[in-house]
Amino acid sequence: MPQPVGRGPTLILVVCCMSVLLVSLDTTILNVALPSIQQDLHASVSGLQWTLDAYTIVLASLLMLAGSTADRVGRRRVFLLGLVLFTGGSALCSLAPSLGWLIVFRMAQAVGGCMLTPVAMAILTNAFPAPRERARAIGVWGGVVGVSMAAGPILGGVLAQTAGWRSVFWLNVPIGLAALLLTVLYVPESRAPRPRRVDPVGQLLVITALGALTYAVIEVPGRGWTSPVIVVCLIAAAGAAAVLVPYEARRDEPLIEPRLFRSAPFSGATVMAVCAFAALGGFLFANSLYLQQVLGLGALDTGIRLLPMAVPSLLCPPLAGRIVGNRGPRVPLLLAGAGIAAGGLLAVPATRPGHPSELLLYAAYALFGVGFGFVNAPITYTAVSGLPRARAGVVAAIAATGRQVGAALGIAVTGAVIAGGSRQAAWWIIVGCGLAVLALGVLTTGAWAARTADRNAPSRTSLSSRLLPP
C-alpha cells in the first residue's frame, strides 16, 4: 500500500508512544482499582494477582513469537492486528461479569499487547537508524511509561471512585482507535530481508516455564510448598528451562538465539529489565493494597499519594535518553539502581506497623520514581545497539519479555509474601532488585562488557563507542 508523502519519523514516534501508553497505562490504572475489583467480584489476594499476572504471563510468553512474526510477515501488519485485539479486549474487560471472565478477557488483551511493545520498538529502530537520534527517541518513548505512571493512578482513582472499576478499561478504546488510524496513515511497512522459520517447540517451552513458575509463586501461600500441584509446577518450570537452552542452541533459526546472550551488555540489559520491572510491579501492587487496605484511603486519594513517584518517572526518561546518547548508559543505570533500592529501603520504616511515617513514604515514592525513570532508556538502547535492524523485532521482543517476566514475578512474589503476613519483606525484595540493577549497571557498561559485545555482535560493528562514555 503506498504511504503518504508527508509521513516522517516524528509521526511514527507518536504512534509508537501511543502503543506503549496503552500497554503501560493499563497496569498503573488497574493497580489503583484492585480493591474495588476485590469488593465487587469477591476476589482474594491471589485472585487480584491473577488479574494482573494472567495478562503479564501471556504477554511475556508471546512477545518473542510476535517479534519474530513481525520481522517475517511485516511489522506494520502485526502492529495493526495488535491494536485491534488490545482495543477489543479492553472493551470486553469492562463487561466482565465475574473474576474468571475478567482474567480471560485480560488474557485476550495480552494477545494484542504482545504485538505492540516489541513491534513498536522495531518500527522505531528502523525509523531512527542513527544511534544518537535513536537514543533520544527511545528516551521519549520511555517517557511515555512515566506519563502512564503520572496519569494512571489519578485517572484510575477518579474513574474507579466516580464510575466504577469497569471504567478504567474504557480509556483504552479511544486511544486504541486513534493509534489504529494513525498507523494506517503514517507507519510504513518493514520486515526482515530473510524471514526466519517458526519455532513452535521453543515457544511451548517458554510458555511452560513462565506459566508454571508464576502459578507456583502465586499459589504457594495458600497451598504450601509441599502441595503436589506446586511441586509439579516447579518441576515443569525447571524442566522446560533446562530443555530450552540446548534445544535453541541446536536450531539454525531459534526463537531465542543463545549467541545474543554472550554479549554482556545484551544479557545484562535483559536481567536488569527483569529486576527493574519486578521492583515496579511489586512496588505498585504492595502500595495500592497498603494505602487502601491498611490506611483506609479511597482510590482517588491513593492515586494522589502516588504522585511523588509518578512525576519523576515522567520527567527523567527524556533526560536519561539524552545522557545515553551523549555519554553512554552507565550513569543512568547507576542512578536507576540507586533510586530503586533507596525507595524500597525507605519504605521499610515508613510503613512500620504502629509507627507509619507519611514523610518517609513520600520520600520513598520520589526516590523510586527517579530510579525507575532512569532505567528504561539505557536498557532498551543497550539491548538493540550493534544488532542488525533486520533482527530488531525479535531483539526488542527479548528485552520486552524481560520486562513482563519481571512484572509478573514481582507481583507474584510480593503478593505471596503479603498474603503470608510479611508485608515488610516486600520492601526488602524491592531493595534487592535495585541493588541488582546497580551492580549490573557497573558490570555491563565497562571495557570488558564492550569487548564481549564486539566479539558477538552479528554485524561485527564495534559497540565500544556506543556503550562507553567518550
Side-chain angles (χ1 to χ4, degrees):
M1 173 180 176
Q3 298 299 321
V5 176
R7 74 174 188 272
T10 301
L11 284 171
I12 295 172
L13 176 60
V14 169
V15 174
C16 292
C17 286
M18 291 178 74
S19 72
V20 76
L21 180 65
L22 279 172
V23 177
S24 58
L25 186 64
D26 196 64
T27 300
T28 54
I29 275 187
L30 195 59
N31 267 282
V32 177
L34 286 177
S36 299
I37 294 173
Q38 183 176 33
Q39 184 176 4
D40 188 33
L41 300 182
H42 311 291
S44 63
V45 172
S46 66
L48 294 180
Q49 289 173 269
W50 277 116
T51 63
L52 299 174
D53 272 346
Y55 175 86
T56 50
I57 291 170
V58 173
L59 200 63
S61 299
L62 299 180
L63 277 167
M64 283 177 284
L65 176 62
S68 60
T69 301
D71 284 342
R72 184 170 60 253
V73 306
R75 292 156 188 152
R76 180 175 179 269
R77 183 178 300 175
V78 172
F79 191 71
L80 284 169
L81 178 60
L83 286 170
V84 170
L85 292 175
F86 190 92
T87 304
S90 297
L92 289 173
C93 285
S94 70
L95 303 174
S98 65
L99 183 68
W101 278 111
L102 178 60
I103 292 172
V104 169
F105 294 149
R106 288 280 288 164
M107 294 170 73
Q109 243 189 330
V111 174
C114 76
M115 303 179 192
L116 297 181
T117 303
V119 181
M121 179 52 60
I123 292 171
L124 203 60
T125 300
N126 279 271
F128 294 89
R132 189 180 297 269
E133 285 72 23
R134 185 192 306 160
R136 291 176 178 174
I138 288 173
V140 174
W141 188 79
V144 176
V145 178
V147 171
S148 73
M149 289 190 67
I154 295 295
L155 287 174
V158 170
L159 290 171
Q161 196 156 307
T162 58
W165 63 266
R166 297 177 188 277
S167 62
V168 302
F169 294 104
W170 299 344
L171 198 62
N172 292 335
V173 177
I175 297 174
L177 292 176
L180 194 64
L181 176 62
L182 290 173
T183 302
V184 170
L185 293 176
Y186 297 110
V187 175
E189 185 61 280
S190 65
R191 56 172 58 87
R194 189 176 68 86
R196 297 169 64 82
R197 289 179 295 178
V198 179
D199 181 8
V201 175
Q203 184 62 60
L204 180 61
L205 290 171
V206 168
I207 293 172
T208 301
L210 294 179
L213 176 61
T214 308
Y215 181 89
V217 173
I218 289 176
E219 295 295 328
V220 75
R223 296 177 180 268
W225 288 103
T226 57
S227 164
V229 174
I230 300 299
V231 172
V232 168
C233 284
L234 291 175
I235 292 173
V243 172
L244 178 65
V245 175
Y247 173 79
E248 294 292 279
R250 289 195 301 269
R251 281 184 60 86
D252 293 332
E253 295 181 345
L255 178 70
I256 304 174
E257 189 170 330
R259 186 163 70 96
L260 294 175
F261 291 92
R262 298 174 189 169
S263 164
F266 178 81
S267 56
T270 305
V271 176
M272 283 186 283
V274 172
C275 294
F277 277 77
L280 176 65
F283 200 81
L284 286 174
F285 186 82
N287 273 290
S288 295
L289 295 183
Y290 174 75
L291 293 173
Q292 295 187 60
Q293 293 184 346
V294 178
L295 299 187
L297 301 178
L300 179 57
D301 287 337
T302 297
I304 293 172
R305 295 291 183 95
L306 291 172
L307 274 177
M309 175 178 64
V311 172
S313 298
L314 168 64
L315 299 178
C316 292
L319 176 60
R322 288 186 173 274
I323 295 174
V324 171
N326 293 328
R327 302 290 301 173
R330 172 170 282 192
V331 171
L333 287 175
L334 298 184
L335 291 171
I340 291 171
L345 191 62
L346 278 185
V348 175
T351 60
R352 184 176 293 118
H355 301 86
S357 170
E358 199 165 297
L359 182 61
L360 279 180
L361 194 59
Y362 286 150
Y365 290 167
L367 287 169
F368 186 91
V370 169
F372 188 77
F374 273 101
V375 81
N376 262 304
I379 61 176
T380 302
Y381 179 76
T382 303
V384 300
S385 289
L387 298 172
R389 283 188 286 161
R391 300 294 313 282
V394 70
V395 170
I398 292 173
T401 299
R403 292 182 174 90
Q404 297 304 325
V405 169
L409 292 179
I411 293 165
V413 173
T414 301
V417 297
I418 290 174
S422 182
R423 189 180 299 274
Q424 294 293 95
W427 309 125
W428 288 108
I429 292 170
I430 291 161
V431 172
C433 290
L435 292 176
V437 172
L438 184 64
L440 287 169
V442 174
L443 183 64
T444 63
T445 56
W448 165 80
R451 287 195 297 271
T452 68
D454 288 340
R455 286 196 299 269
N456 294 287
S459 62
R460 304 304 302 166
T461 300
S462 174
L463 301 185
S464 300
S465 60
R466 301 182 185 183
L467 298 176
L468 298 175

CSV table of all heavy atoms in Angstrom, one decimal, residues 337-361:
chain,number,residue,atom,x,y,z
A,337,GLY,N,19.5,2.1,39.6
A,337,GLY,CA,19.6,1.1,40.6
A,337,GLY,C,19.6,1.7,42.0
A,337,GLY,O,19.0,1.2,42.9
A,338,ALA,N,20.3,2.9,42.2
A,338,ALA,CA,20.4,3.5,43.5
A,338,ALA,C,19.0,4.1,43.9
A,338,ALA,O,18.6,3.9,45.1
A,338,ALA,CB,21.4,4.7,43.4
A,339,GLY,N,18.3,4.6,42.9
A,339,GLY,CA,17.0,5.2,43.3
A,339,GLY,C,16.0,4.1,43.7
A,339,GLY,O,15.2,4.3,44.6
A,340,ILE,N,15.9,3.0,42.9
A,340,ILE,CA,15.0,1.9,43.2
A,340,ILE,C,15.3,1.3,44.6
A,340,ILE,O,14.4,1.1,45.4
A,340,ILE,CB,15.1,0.8,42.1
A,340,ILE,CG1,14.5,1.4,40.8
A,340,ILE,CG2,14.3,-0.4,42.5
A,340,ILE,CD1,14.6,0.5,39.6
A,341,ALA,N,16.6,1.1,44.8
A,341,ALA,CA,17.0,0.5,46.1
A,341,ALA,C,16.7,1.4,47.3
A,341,ALA,O,16.2,1.0,48.3
A,341,ALA,CB,18.5,0.1,46.1
A,342,ALA,N,17.0,2.7,47.1
A,342,ALA,CA,16.7,3.7,48.2
A,342,ALA,C,15.2,3.8,48.5
A,342,ALA,O,14.8,3.9,49.6
A,342,ALA,CB,17.3,5.0,47.8
A,343,GLY,N,14.4,3.8,47.4
A,343,GLY,CA,12.9,3.8,47.6
A,343,GLY,C,12.4,2.7,48.4
A,343,GLY,O,11.6,2.8,49.3
A,344,GLY,N,12.9,1.4,48.1
A,344,GLY,CA,12.5,0.3,48.8
A,344,GLY,C,12.9,0.3,50.3
A,344,GLY,O,12.2,-0.1,51.2
A,345,LEU,N,14.2,0.8,50.4
A,345,LEU,CA,14.8,0.9,51.8
A,345,LEU,C,14.0,1.9,52.7
A,345,LEU,O,13.7,1.6,53.9
A,345,LEU,CB,16.2,1.3,51.7
A,345,LEU,CG,17.1,1.2,53.0
A,345,LEU,CD1,17.1,-0.3,53.4
A,345,LEU,CD2,18.5,1.7,52.7
A,346,LEU,N,13.6,3.0,52.2
A,346,LEU,CA,12.9,4.0,53.0
A,346,LEU,C,11.4,3.5,53.3
A,346,LEU,O,10.9,3.9,54.3
A,346,LEU,CB,12.8,5.3,52.2
A,346,LEU,CG,14.0,6.3,52.4
A,346,LEU,CD1,13.7,7.6,51.7
A,346,LEU,CD2,14.4,6.5,53.8
A,347,ALA,N,10.9,2.7,52.4
A,347,ALA,CA,9.5,2.2,52.6
A,347,ALA,C,9.5,1.2,53.8
A,347,ALA,O,8.4,1.1,54.4
A,347,ALA,CB,9.0,1.4,51.4
A,348,VAL,N,10.6,0.7,54.2
A,348,VAL,CA,10.6,-0.2,55.4
A,348,VAL,C,10.2,0.5,56.7
A,348,VAL,O,9.2,0.1,57.3
A,348,VAL,CB,12.0,-0.9,55.6
A,348,VAL,CG1,12.0,-1.8,56.8
A,348,VAL,CG2,12.2,-1.8,54.3
A,349,PRO,N,10.9,1.6,57.1
A,349,PRO,CA,10.5,2.3,58.3
A,349,PRO,C,9.2,3.1,58.0
A,349,PRO,O,8.4,3.4,59.0
A,349,PRO,CB,11.7,3.2,58.6
A,349,PRO,CG,12.3,3.4,57.3
A,349,PRO,CD,12.2,2.1,56.5
A,350,ALA,N,8.9,3.5,56.8
A,350,ALA,CA,7.8,4.4,56.5
A,350,ALA,C,6.5,3.6,56.7
A,350,ALA,O,5.4,4.2,57.0
A,350,ALA,CB,7.8,4.9,55.1
A,351,THR,N,6.5,2.3,56.6
A,351,THR,CA,5.2,1.5,56.7
A,351,THR,C,5.3,0.6,57.9
A,351,THR,O,4.5,-0.4,58.0
A,351,THR,CB,5.0,0.7,55.4
A,351,THR,OG1,6.1,-0.2,55.2
A,351,THR,CG2,4.8,1.6,54.2
A,352,ARG,N,6.2,0.9,58.9
A,352,ARG,CA,6.3,0.0,60.1
A,352,ARG,C,5.0,0.0,60.8
A,352,ARG,O,4.4,1.0,61.1
A,352,ARG,CB,7.4,0.5,61.0
A,352,ARG,CG,7.7,-0.4,62.2
A,352,ARG,CD,8.8,0.0,63.0
A,352,ARG,NE,10.1,-0.1,62.3
A,352,ARG,CZ,10.9,0.9,62.0
A,352,ARG,NH1,10.5,2.2,62.3
A,352,ARG,NH2,12.0,0.7,61.3
A,353,PRO,N,4.5,-1.2,61.2
A,353,PRO,CA,3.2,-1.3,61.9
A,353,PRO,C,3.2,-0.5,63.2
A,353,PRO,O,4.1,-0.6,64.0
A,353,PRO,CB,3.0,-2.8,62.1
A,353,PRO,CG,3.9,-3.5,61.1
A,353,PRO,CD,5.0,-2.5,60.8
A,354,GLY,N,2.2,0.3,63.4
A,354,GLY,CA,2.1,1.1,64.6
A,354,GLY,C,2.9,2.4,64.5
A,354,GLY,O,2.6,3.4,65.3
A,355,HIS,N,3.8,2.6,63.6
A,355,HIS,CA,4.6,3.8,63.5
A,355,HIS,C,4.9,4.2,62.1
A,355,HIS,O,6.0,4.4,61.6
A,355,HIS,CB,6.0,3.6,64.2
A,355,HIS,CG,5.9,3.3,65.7
A,355,HIS,ND1,5.7,2.0,66.1
A,355,HIS,CD2,5.9,4.1,66.8
A,355,HIS,CE1,5.7,2.0,67.4
A,355,HIS,NE2,5.7,3.2,67.8
A,356,PRO,N,3.8,4.4,61.3
A,356,PRO,CA,4.0,4.8,59.9
A,356,PRO,C,4.4,6.2,59.8
A,356,PRO,O,4.1,7.0,60.6
A,356,PRO,CB,2.6,4.6,59.2
A,356,PRO,CG,1.7,4.7,60.4
A,356,PRO,CD,2.4,4.2,61.6
A,357,SER,N,5.2,6.5,58.7
A,357,SER,CA,5.7,7.9,58.5
A,357,SER,C,5.3,8.4,57.1
A,357,SER,O,5.8,7.8,56.1
A,357,SER,CB,7.2,8.0,58.7
A,357,SER,OG,7.7,9.3,58.3
A,358,GLU,N,4.4,9.3,57.0
A,358,GLU,CA,3.9,9.8,55.7
A,358,GLU,C,5.1,10.5,55.0
A,358,GLU,O,5.2,10.4,53.8
A,358,GLU,CB,2.8,10.8,55.9
A,358,GLU,CG,1.9,11.0,54.7
A,358,GLU,CD,0.6,11.6,55.0
A,358,GLU,OE1,-0.2,11.0,55.7
A,358,GLU,OE2,0.4,12.7,54.5
A,359,LEU,N,5.9,11.3,55.7
A,359,LEU,CA,7.0,12.0,55.1
A,359,LEU,C,8.0,11.0,54.5
A,359,LEU,O,8.4,11.2,53.3
A,359,LEU,CB,7.7,12.9,56.1
A,359,LEU,CG,8.9,13.7,55.6
A,359,LEU,CD1,8.3,14.7,54.5
A,359,LEU,CD2,9.5,14.5,56.7
A,360,LEU,N,8.4,10.0,55.2
A,360,LEU,CA,9.3,9.0,54.7
A,360,LEU,C,8.7,8.2,53.5
A,360,LEU,O,9.4,7.9,52.5
A,360,LEU,CB,9.6,7.9,55.8
A,360,LEU,CG,10.7,8.3,56.8
A,360,LEU,CD1,10.9,7.2,57.8
A,360,LEU,CD2,12.0,8.6,56.0
A,361,LEU,N,7.4,8.0,53.5
A,361,LEU,CA,6.7,7.3,52.4
A,361,LEU,C,6.8,8.1,51.2
A,361,LEU,O,7.1,7.6,50.1
A,361,LEU,CB,5.3,7.0,52.8
A,361,LEU,CG,4.5,6.0,51.9
A,361,LEU,CD1,5.3,4.6,51.9
A,361,LEU,CD2,3.1,5.8,52.3
